[in-house]
């Protein structure tokens, strides 16, 4: 589960005692955990590549100064946010530090609200980075059922436990779930971890075929059973004997066929169309429905006796919105096979990508998420790459497909700045309001990305803050 922004630590390094104590008090009153040092050297021992927090440091200090500290942290973990505190005379140095990898800088004396805002923003970024790393590590270590039915949420852990239990029980199973929740995947998993794994797994979508075709597909037919039956055909039920038959969209099966299916389930034998011989079968039936079959039975739209025959063992699959903590893990799981299929490199999943994924409701559930992963691999995901091409401001149209996380984040930030400036016709104050940042910071970021506001305006000039 993603760590909340306020759970992160702050490593504060400030040699001036009054400034250090004031900053500590401000952040602790905001519910933050602060570890303060008067010099950089002893603070280094607290930092690790997966340090669960951020660094807030003065620039001018005795011994190792803030610039040297930044360089050390960059070598340790380039994605660990470092916010520099600078006096007015050090602003040029601070801007240069931001270009060199610092997260941001705050000018002394620090406004308490501004300090808290910047620290919380850096903590959110750090939490997303660490969550992304955790997801990659979790995916790399998965095997067996965990590699097929992916998810760390409590409901998915319970689902895997039920699959294991029912696989050994060898009973018919009813799977309930919305479209795109992975009903066939769960059915296959039931088969693959069961003693029937050496037999066939046979799938039939009851909603995709007309009644006459479904009957022949299920039960098979003898020669001459109907016009065009020129040779004997083994049906799905018979072919799946010794294995598993998966009936998807069972709610679509015609009532007349439901009666025949019920008899097969009760007697474990069938007769082919046009034949009289009773053929014994040993098959497990796993049926899936996106509709409440109990309700359909009450309305007379589904046979109640068949519903109760299948309802001995039931698996209810959660929608993706009911297990949001699994979204990042699932998305990462889909990237590798998509990259292999399209012969593309596996793209880097950045912190802002994960944030965009978590913000969506995913009405199409896991299937929709998988398609989004495929679009991401192809470089056509508008949800994750944002609006493209604001007045030709992209340096390289193909650049979004590669680069490190800092490079990708920088491109994403540049696009947002250009969008805001375009919407405000180059009026920097208005653009800064749209972005929710001070005008001074917007100017600095425009300078960092080489953005000229004149490209978006009719020539208006504004004084720098």
């Amino acid at each position: 589960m993603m760590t909340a922004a306020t759970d992160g630590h702050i490593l504060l390094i400030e040699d001036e005692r009054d400034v250090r104590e004031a900053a500590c008090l401000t952040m602790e009153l905001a519910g933050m955990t602060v570890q303060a040092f008067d010099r950089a050297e002893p603070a280094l021992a607290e930092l690790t590549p997966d340090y669960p927090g951020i660094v807030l440091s003065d620039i001018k200090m005795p011994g190792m100064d803030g610039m040297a500290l930044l360089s050390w942290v960059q070598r340790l973990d380039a994605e660990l946010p470092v916010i520099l505190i600078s006096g007015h005379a050090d602003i040029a140095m601070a801007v240069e530090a931001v270009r060199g990898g610092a997260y941001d800088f705050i000018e002394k004396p620090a406004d308490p609200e501004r300090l808290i805002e910047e620290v919380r923003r850096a903590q959110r970024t750090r939490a997303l980075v660490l969550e992304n790393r955790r997801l990659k590590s979790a995916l790399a270590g998965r095997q067996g059922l965990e590699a097929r039915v992916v998810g760390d949420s409590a409901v998915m852990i319970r689902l895997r436990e039920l699959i294991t239990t029912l696989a050994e029980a060898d009973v018919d199973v009813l799977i309930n779930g919305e479209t795109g929740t992975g009903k066939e995947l769960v059915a296959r998993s039931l088969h693959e971890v069961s003693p029937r794994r050496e037999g066939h797994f046979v799938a039939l979508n009851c909603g995709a075929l007309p009644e006459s075709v479904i009957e022949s597909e299920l039960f098979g037919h003898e020669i001459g059973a109907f016009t065009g039956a020129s040779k004997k055909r083994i049906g799905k039920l018979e072919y799946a004997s010794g294995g598993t038959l998966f009936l998807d969209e069972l709610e679509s099966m015609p009532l007349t066929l439901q009666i025949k299916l019920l008899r097969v389930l009760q007697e474990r034998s069938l007769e082919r169309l046009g034949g009289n011989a009773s053929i014994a079968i040993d098959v497990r039936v796993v049926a899936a429905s996106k509709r409440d079959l109990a309700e359909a039975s009450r309305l007379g739209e589904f046979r109640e006796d068949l519903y109760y025959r299948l309802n001995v063992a039931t698996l209810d699959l959660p929608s993706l919105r009911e297990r949001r903590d699994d979204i990042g893990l699932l998305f990462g799981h889909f990237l590798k096979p998509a990259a292999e299929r399209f012969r593309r490199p596996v793209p880097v999943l950045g912190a802002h990508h994960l944030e965009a994924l978590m913000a969506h409701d995913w009405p199409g559930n896991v299937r929709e998420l998988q398609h989004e992963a495929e679009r991401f691999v192809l470089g056509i995901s508008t949800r994750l790459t944002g609006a493209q091409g604001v007045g030709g401001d992209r340096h390289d149209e193909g650049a979004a497909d590669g680069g490190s996380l800092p490079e990708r984040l920088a491109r994403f930030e540049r696009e947002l700045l250009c969008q805001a400036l375009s919407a405000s016709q180059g009026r920097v104050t208005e653009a800064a309001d749209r972005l929710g940042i001070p005008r001074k910071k917007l100017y600095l970021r425009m300078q960092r990305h080489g953005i000229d506001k004149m490209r978006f305006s009719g020539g208006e000039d504004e004084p720098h803050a």
Side-chain angles (χ1 to χ4, degrees):
M1 182 180 296
M2 192 177 299
T3 305
T6 53
D7 290 341
H9 294 260
I10 300 118
L11 197 68
L12 172 65
I13 308 168
E14 169 60 66
D15 62 313
E16 294 183 39
R17 180 178 177 179
D18 292 344
V19 175
R20 184 173 65 250
E21 290 180 351
C24 277
L25 181 60
T26 297
M27 291 185 286
E28 286 172 352
L29 287 174
M32 300 176 177
T33 302
V34 186
Q35 204 171 0
F37 295 87
D38 59 359
R39 292 183 300 112
E41 289 83 357
L44 301 182
E46 302 296 326
L47 295 174
T48 64
D50 288 317
Y51 178 71
I54 68 164
V55 176
L56 183 63
S57 174
D58 191 9
I59 290 184
K60 289 291 186 67
M61 298 183 293
M64 177 183 280
D65 63 12
M67 300 297 285
L69 173 67
L70 172 63
S71 178
W72 189 93
V73 172
Q74 285 277 296
R75 291 192 298 272
L76 176 72
D77 181 357
E79 295 177 309
L80 175 54
V82 176
I83 299 176
L84 295 174
I85 307 170
S86 65
H88 184 74
D90 304 323
I91 288 181
M93 186 185 299
V95 171
E96 189 62 33
V98 170
R99 289 175 178 167
Y103 186 81
D104 216 330
F105 76 89
I106 298 174
E107 186 178 352
K108 290 182 180 180
D111 175 72
E113 290 186 4
R114 165 89 192 285
L115 175 65
I116 296 302
E117 175 191 346
E118 291 300 317
V119 167
R120 281 188 171 148
R121 190 167 61 86
Q123 286 179 325
R124 285 193 293 270
T125 299
R126 184 59 174 172
L128 287 166
V129 166
L130 294 179
E131 173 70 0
N132 197 22
R133 291 179 185 175
R134 185 193 68 79
L135 295 177
K136 288 180 180 178
S137 176
L139 282 171
R142 287 176 185 271
Q143 57 185 354
L145 188 57
E146 280 193 339
R148 288 191 290 269
V149 184
V150 177
D152 285 339
S153 58
V155 68
M156 294 306 291
I157 293 171
R158 177 57 180 159
L159 177 61
R160 287 194 293 268
E161 292 172 351
L162 286 172
I163 289 173
T164 302
T165 300
L166 293 178
E168 295 299 325
D170 198 33
V171 295
D172 296 329
V173 177
L174 178 61
I175 301 175
N176 299 311
E178 296 178 7
T179 297
T181 49
K183 294 185 285 293
E184 183 171 348
L185 173 67
V186 169
R188 285 185 180 275
S189 298
L190 266 170
H191 172 76
E192 290 169 2
V193 299
S194 76
R196 293 179 173 272
R197 67 179 68 90
E198 300 301 323
H200 295 121
F201 177 86
V202 182
L204 178 67
N205 189 317
C206 301
L209 300 171
E211 180 176 349
S212 59
V213 177
I214 293 178
E215 187 172 14
S216 176
E217 285 288 317
L218 269 178
F219 300 101
H221 61 256
E222 301 288 356
I223 297 174
F226 50 83
T227 303
S230 58
K231 60 182 179 180
K232 181 176 70 174
R233 176 181 174 83
I234 301 298
K236 302 294 189 186
L237 279 161
E238 190 175 347
Y239 184 68
S241 188
T244 303
L245 174 66
F246 173 59
L247 297 176
D248 198 7
E249 297 189 30
L250 183 66
E251 71 276 11
S252 302
M253 179 178 283
L255 290 170
T256 53
L257 286 186
Q258 291 179 29
I259 299 171
K260 294 188 69 172
L261 177 61
L262 176 62
R263 183 175 179 180
V264 170
L265 295 179
Q266 290 172 338
E267 299 180 5
R268 298 293 157 171
S269 65
L270 59 82
E271 294 178 5
R272 300 189 192 114
L273 293 179
N276 295 313
S278 180
I279 302 168
I281 58 171
D282 172 26
V283 64
R284 161 185 257 178
V285 173
V286 179
S289 174
K290 60 178 179 289
R291 186 180 177 189
D292 184 347
L293 293 184
E295 177 65 21
S297 298
R298 285 192 292 271
L299 295 173
E301 297 171 358
F302 192 85
R303 286 193 64 90
E304 189 176 32
D305 46 7
L306 178 57
Y307 167 67
Y308 285 117
R309 179 65 181 76
L310 289 169
N311 198 39
V312 175
T314 304
L315 291 174
D316 295 314
L317 306 193
S319 65
L320 197 52
R321 62 183 172 275
E322 293 175 283
R323 54 181 186 117
R324 302 191 69 83
D325 290 345
D326 290 334
I327 289 174
L329 187 66
L330 278 165
F331 193 80
H333 174 74
F334 292 138
L335 288 179
K336 184 177 179 181
E340 290 174 352
R341 175 185 172 190
F342 300 124
R343 298 181 181 179
R344 297 287 188 93
V346 178
V348 177
L349 183 61
H352 65 291
H353 295 138
L354 186 59
E355 194 167 27
L357 291 172
M358 294 295 290
H360 186 52
D361 281 341
W362 303 106
N365 292 296
V366 178
R367 184 181 298 131
E368 182 187 0
L369 185 69
Q370 182 176 6
H371 292 166
E372 191 66 43
E374 292 170 352
R375 287 190 288 269
F376 186 51
V377 168
L378 290 170
I380 58 173
S381 169
T382 56
R383 183 177 308 283
L384 296 187
T385 57
Q388 302 296 326
V390 181
D393 279 300
R394 291 174 60 102
H395 292 302
D396 181 2
E397 284 296 326
D401 291 331
S404 66
L405 177 60
E407 289 169 342
R408 287 165 175 256
L409 288 172
R411 283 196 295 271
F412 185 70
E413 180 181 68
R414 190 174 193 277
E415 289 169 3
L416 291 178
L417 298 182
C418 290
Q419 289 169 20
L421 286 165
S422 178
S424 62
Q425 297 182 327
R427 291 186 289 273
V428 176
T429 300
E430 183 180 330
D433 290 340
R434 287 174 178 269
L435 294 167
I437 61 175
R439 186 173 59 175
K440 179 192 296 183
K441 181 177 291 185
L442 178 54
Y443 270 116
L444 289 171
R445 293 186 178 182
M446 288 166 60
Q447 183 182 12
R448 183 195 310 170
H449 293 292
I451 298 173
D452 183 357
K453 71 173 183 176
M454 301 299 289
R455 300 173 61 183
F456 305 94
S457 68
E460 174 190 358
D461 193 18
E462 293 184 78
H464 287 248

